[in-house]
Amino acid sequence: MSNIYKNCKNFFYSLSPGIYNRFKKYKLIIKYIISGGTAALVDLIFLYVFTDVFKIWYLISASLSFLIAYFVSFSMQKFWTFRDNGRETIYRQMYLYFIVGVVNLLINAGGMYLLVDEFGVMYILAQIIMGALLGFSSFLIYRFIIFEKKKIEAKKEKRGGLKILIATGIFPPDIGGPATYTKILGEELPKFGCEVTVIAYGDGEITNSERRIFRISRRQNIISRYLKYFRRVWELSGRADIVYAHDLVSVGLPCALVKLFKPRLKLVIRLGGDFLWEKAYNNGWTENPLSRYYKEPKNFTEKIFLLVYKFVLPRCDKIIFSTPWQKEIYEKYLKVKPDKALVIDNIFPEFFSPEERVRAGNRRVLLAGRLIKLKNFAKVFAAARELPEVNLLVIGEGPEEENLKKLARELGINNRVNFKKKLAWPELAKEILGSFLVLVPSITEISPNLVLECLKLGQPVLVTKECGFYGKYKEELIFIDPFSENDIKEKIIYLLNGDNYNNYLGKIKAVDTARNKLDLAQDHYNFFKNL
């Protein structure tokens, strides 16, 4: 078939090269008209056959002929007019094309009724008029949405590098894991020839065009926030090869909606936490860790969020996890296909050279993080009641701060508990090094940065068993049961012994902590260029 098509082009070129070149300049429109004309001819032929030969009421015959012409039109427009031979998104394209077809069908039937019954236009002429109107509107949809050309490799060759739109909830000066992560990518990916644009929520509508950072104010109602985020992603995605979103709801939902209308857009989502489980635990909807959460029945609010999950996840081209543990949970309970999921490990912080390291004689235990229920600091407070030689340093802010201070007074340990406001690296590193031990007792942690920081510093840490690091570091780290006050107490007592402490310190120092931000950018670049 392709040889016949080429021979036809060569024949017309031989007749008149000048006219052929003029027509070639507008070949997309000409091919669209030919495809549309062919579909229209099919429509009119079947309309005549159904109406005059089979004596079917003209409205029904118009609908039947329109459906037949729809399939003819889809095939010609996709494979010939817009030269889209890809099969990866054909079902999504057929779905969108079908929606356009259904809407056109309804408009066509309504228009036919008005023209024939209300204005007395002959049904054949009425169909020609409606076909022309619908043909023009459909061209715009086909050209700029359904069959939009966006081939990453072609763009890379033409422009010299990939264009990445990073969509995140927080970005510096905000403090948090996603802010640090996206800042690193924004700084390191350009070293591989990528152009990076960032969109994030912030304290105001701030735009830094030079650094290509765009912020949507979080100081407005949720509907306004999401709509503005959606609009900005829509605008910025026009120049992007890939949209890289960093959660499923506040960022993932607007990006997935853009993907719905731009099906050829590449959407990648990274999950470093689990929004729904965290919300459920902090609101008292569940007492289970993440590993058991998706097994249990859900309340109405949880079901709404699950609908969001089930809308966003299938629309991702790929989903990046920070640990195999979370990846397996999503594959099992949220039906994420294994070929859509991959793991890119987190990195260790920049090297910090301590002036002085504490020894086992120091008895200060450090807890750090946002002061919320799932961090499970209350369980450590209860264990510390029976460890009079242990002092606690709590670093962080959050809604549970006053409750923790009250609990310390009730347990009679308030004179051994010191609270400090949240600290960023490297100030936090100094406090880690000034402590005997760090505890991460959370009900669930995916890939806690605090643990990576302790490993980098060679500092002993006790980590919750409900963690993505358990499989990777079960031979090197000591893990605790977050639901057992006694287990936490016994593990602390074990490390109060100087020999045990020094042996554990040796294991931690032996962990390879060489992975850095350049490795992270390299992994992302290799992934993006092959997407």
Side-chain angles (χ1 to χ4, degrees):
M1 182 64 72
S2 61
N3 289 332
I4 295 174
Y5 178 59
K6 289 179 181 178
N7 290 334
C8 289
K9 290 202 301 181
N10 292 334
F11 173 73
F12 286 117
Y13 179 80
S14 66
L15 292 178
S16 178
I19 295 176
Y20 176 86
N21 288 329
R22 289 193 188 94
F23 276 102
K24 188 177 181 180
K25 185 177 180 180
Y26 304 102
K27 66 178 182 179
L28 184 64
I29 297 174
I30 294 170
K31 289 164 74 174
Y32 177 77
I33 292 172
I34 293 173
S35 297
T38 302
L41 181 61
V42 170
D43 189 6
L44 292 173
I45 290 172
F46 279 96
L47 174 65
Y48 173 78
V49 171
F50 289 144
T51 305
D52 283 22
V53 178
F54 294 103
K55 304 302 181 182
I56 299 174
W57 184 38
Y58 72 90
L59 283 181
I60 296 177
S61 63
S63 299
L64 292 173
S65 61
F66 187 87
L67 286 173
I68 295 171
Y70 155 72
F71 288 106
V72 173
S73 176
F74 174 80
S75 300
M76 293 192 69
Q77 301 292 12
K78 175 176 172 61
F79 297 108
W80 185 56
T81 304
F82 298 102
R83 308 295 290 172
D84 183 0
N85 297 316
R87 299 296 195 277
E88 308 86 14
T89 59
I90 190 169
Y91 295 112
R92 185 181 286 114
Q93 289 174 331
M94 289 184 70
Y95 168 72
L96 292 174
Y97 205 96
F98 178 75
I99 291 177
V100 173
V102 169
V103 172
N104 283 350
L105 178 62
L106 296 174
I107 295 174
N108 185 72
M112 285 284 289
Y113 174 78
L114 287 174
L115 292 173
V116 175
D117 283 20
E118 298 296 328
F119 297 100
V121 178
M122 180 183 177
Y123 71 88
I124 293 290
L125 178 59
Q127 185 61 79
I128 292 173
I129 294 171
M130 291 306 302
L133 293 174
L134 293 174
F136 175 74
S137 61
S138 296
F139 174 80
L140 299 178
I141 297 172
Y142 302 155
R143 175 69 178 85
F144 296 107
I145 298 179
I146 297 179
F147 302 119
E148 180 187 12
K149 289 286 185 182
K150 185 169 285 195
K151 295 182 179 178
I152 288 180
E153 288 302 319
K155 283 192 170 187
K156 185 173 68 173
E157 291 176 5
K158 182 178 179 181
R159 298 186 310 221
L162 290 172
K163 295 184 181 293
I164 314 296
L165 172 60
I166 295 177
T168 178
I170 58 174
F171 192 78
D174 293 333
I175 296 175
T180 303
Y181 198 93
T182 52
K183 178 176 182 289
I184 289 171
L185 291 178
E187 293 173 345
E188 298 298 319
L189 281 174
K191 296 177 182 178
F192 295 88
C194 299
E195 179 183 300
V196 177
T197 302
V198 176
I199 175 173
Y201 293 106
D203 292 331
E205 301 284 344
I206 304 171
T207 297
N208 187 328
S209 299
E210 183 178 343
R211 294 184 59 201
R212 297 199 60 77
I213 299 172
F214 301 84
R215 298 184 190 272
I216 304 300
S217 175
R218 61 171 67 96
R219 295 177 178 175
Q220 53 191 318
N221 66 72
I222 187 171
I223 295 177
S224 296
R225 280 203 314 269
Y226 279 34
L227 286 175
K228 288 183 179 180
Y229 205 101
F230 167 82
R231 185 181 66 184
R232 182 63 84 174
V233 171
W234 180 279
E235 293 170 352
L236 297 174
S237 65
R239 300 186 69 252
D241 298 314
I242 298 167
V243 174
Y244 188 22
H246 285 257
D247 75 30
L248 277 174
V249 181
S250 65
V251 169
L253 180 56
C255 291
L257 287 169
V258 172
K259 170 80 171 181
L260 179 65
F261 294 103
K262 293 185 175 184
R264 295 182 65 84
L265 180 69
K266 296 294 184 182
L267 174 60
V268 178
I269 285 189
R270 178 186 180 270
L271 299 178
D274 191 288
F275 169 85
L276 181 53
W277 173 80
E278 292 175 11
K279 189 175 186 67
Y281 191 87
N282 286 324
N283 282 288
W285 302 338
T286 184
E287 295 181 353
N288 283 321
L290 176 61
S291 60
R292 300 196 296 270
Y293 171 66
Y294 287 104
K295 297 178 183 178
E296 63 185 19
K298 303 292 183 287
N299 63 31
F300 177 77
T301 304
E302 290 172 295
K303 289 178 181 178
I304 295 298
F305 280 112
L306 275 177
L307 288 176
V308 174
Y309 273 36
K310 292 175 181 178
F311 173 79
V312 175
L313 287 170
R315 283 163 178 79
C316 303
D317 293 279
K318 291 288 184 179
I319 304 165
I320 295 176
F321 296 92
S322 58
T323 66
W325 180 67
Q326 188 187 17
K327 174 176 175 285
E328 291 166 5
I329 291 173
Y330 272 60
E331 288 173 355
K332 182 176 181 180
Y333 296 110
L334 294 172
K335 309 305 179 186
V336 169
K337 296 179 181 179
D339 62 347
K340 286 183 65 172
L342 71 150
V343 175
I344 295 182
D345 291 331
N346 281 348
I347 62 172
F348 295 90
E350 291 296 319
F351 181 75
F352 175 82
S353 180
E355 296 179 2
E356 184 177 345
R357 185 180 298 278
V358 299
R359 302 301 175 193
N362 184 304
R363 294 294 185 262
R364 188 178 80 177
V365 174
L366 182 143
L367 301 166
R370 182 164 165 74
L371 304 185
I372 51 180
K373 287 173 62 177
L374 66 85
K375 292 298 183 181
N376 202 32
F377 290 172
K379 193 72 73 176
V380 179
F381 280 29
R385 177 178 52 182
E386 301 181 41
L387 300 170
E389 67 271 49
V390 170
N391 297 314
L392 300 178
L393 172 61
V394 181
I395 299 176
E397 303 171 19
E400 287 294 302
E401 182 174 351
E402 292 305 317
N403 290 336
L404 288 172
K405 289 179 178 178
K406 180 181 178 182
L407 178 62
R409 292 192 295 270
E410 292 174 351
L411 294 173
I413 62 170
N414 54 301
N415 61 325
R416 293 192 282 123
V417 180
N418 183 28
F419 287 84
K420 280 190 175 182
K421 298 296 182 182
K422 62 183 179 182
L423 298 174
W425 189 271
E427 286 75 19
L428 178 59
K430 297 176 183 178
E431 296 295 348
I432 292 173
L433 290 169
S435 301
F436 154 74
L437 179 67
V438 176
L439 254 66
V440 181
S442 308
I443 301 302
T444 291
E445 288 282 0
I446 307 296
S447 52
N449 286 323
L450 184 57
V451 174
L452 298 175
E453 289 161 357
C454 289
L455 290 175
K456 186 67 176 181
L457 294 169
Q459 195 71 356
V461 57
L462 295 180
V463 188
T464 175
K465 288 181 180 178
E466 295 290 335
C467 177
F469 288 159
Y470 183 76
K472 185 174 183 178
Y473 294 119
K474 61 183 177 182
E475 301 298 329
E476 292 86 2
L477 297 180
I478 297 176
F479 290 88
I480 55 176
D481 181 354
F483 297 97
S484 173
E485 173 188 329
N486 189 58
D487 186 54
I488 295 172
K489 181 182 67 176
E490 288 182 353
K491 298 292 173 57
I492 295 175
I493 292 173
Y494 173 80
L495 290 176
L496 288 173
N497 177 280
D499 290 337
N500 294 338
Y501 184 86
N502 288 324
N503 288 337
Y504 189 37
L505 193 61
K507 283 187 175 182
I508 286 178
K509 288 181 178 180
V511 174
D512 181 7
T513 60
R515 181 170 171 78
N516 59 31
K517 58 186 181 182
L518 191 61
D519 297 320
L520 182 71
Q522 180 73 67
D523 288 347
H524 277 83
Y525 175 71
N526 291 339
F527 163 69
F528 287 147
K529 72 177 182 180
N530 294 312
L531 183 62

